[in-house]
């Protein structure tokens, strides 16, 4: 969600607005290449996850697919969000482990993006309560 992080990876990124992924919950149990948990959406009827929409040029979408690891931990799927078509990176079950925890710096990036975007305070508090671990390679 953090605009500067996405812009550094995909120069064409433009913030479109805030949205909600209805029917999903957030989990930090995607197995990261660095041995920590990464964020993913998980189907959860009756729940929703607030977030931010960005628009990217097609060339940058390919770059982001590579960075996110499409086919190597995440699948890119199309979601209908508030009448708009959006893409999200979701970890299939084979790439998830419930014991995974995010590194503290990764969770801090998620929190910074949520605050920058102006997501609801109760959501930010919920994210901040997520258990994290220290990166052994700071």
């Amino acid at each position: 969600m953090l605009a500067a992080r996405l812009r550094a990876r995909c120069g064409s990124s433009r913030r479109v607005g805030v949205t909600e992924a209805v029917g999903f919950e957030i989990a930090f149990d995607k197995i990261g290449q660095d041995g920590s948990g990464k964020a993913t959406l998980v189907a959860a009827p009756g729940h929703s996850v607030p977030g931010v929409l960005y628009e990217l040029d097609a060339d940058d979408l390919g770059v982001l697919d590579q960075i996110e690891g499409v086919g190597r931990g995440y699948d890119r799927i199309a979601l209908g969000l508030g009448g708009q078509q959006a893409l999200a990176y979701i970890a299939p079950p084979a790439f998830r482990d419930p014991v995974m925890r995010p590194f503290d710096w990764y969770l801090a990036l998620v929190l910074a993006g949520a605050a920058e975007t102006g997501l609801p305070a109760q959501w930010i508090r919920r994210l901040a309560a997520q258990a994290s671990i220290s990166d052994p390679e700071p």
Side-chain angles (χ1 to χ4, degrees):
M1 285 186 289
L2 194 58
R5 184 170 168 89
L6 183 58
R7 201 172 311 111
R9 295 171 165 193
C10 302
S12 71
S13 66
R14 294 172 299 282
R15 182 177 160 182
V16 175
V18 175
T19 191
E20 271 189 89
V22 177
F24 289 92
E25 186 57 87
I26 193 169
F28 288 87
D29 63 358
K30 188 265 181 192
I31 302 166
Q33 292 179 354
D34 61 6
S36 72
K38 304 298 182 204
T40 189
L41 294 176
V42 179
H47 294 271
S48 65
V49 176
V52 61
L53 286 173
Y54 285 92
E55 188 172 76
L56 303 174
D57 292 345
D59 289 344
D60 273 346
L61 182 58
V63 169
L64 193 58
D65 283 352
Q66 194 66 21
I67 291 168
E68 293 295 337
V70 169
R72 300 181 329 272
Y74 281 117
D75 293 333
R76 178 171 34 104
I77 67 160
L79 299 176
L81 302 176
Q84 295 183 20
Q85 184 77 4
L87 301 174
Y89 295 96
I90 296 182
F95 291 93
R96 296 180 56 218
D97 183 343
V99 302
M100 299 302 298
R101 298 292 175 261
F103 284 143
D104 49 7
W105 61 261
Y106 178 84
L107 184 58
L109 288 173
V110 173
L111 287 165
E116 172 186 83
T117 303
L119 296 185
Q122 71 181 41
W123 179 255
I124 293 172
R125 283 192 300 275
R126 181 170 170 221
L127 289 173
Q130 167 66 46
S132 63
I133 58 175
S134 295
D135 190 338
E137 297 184 31

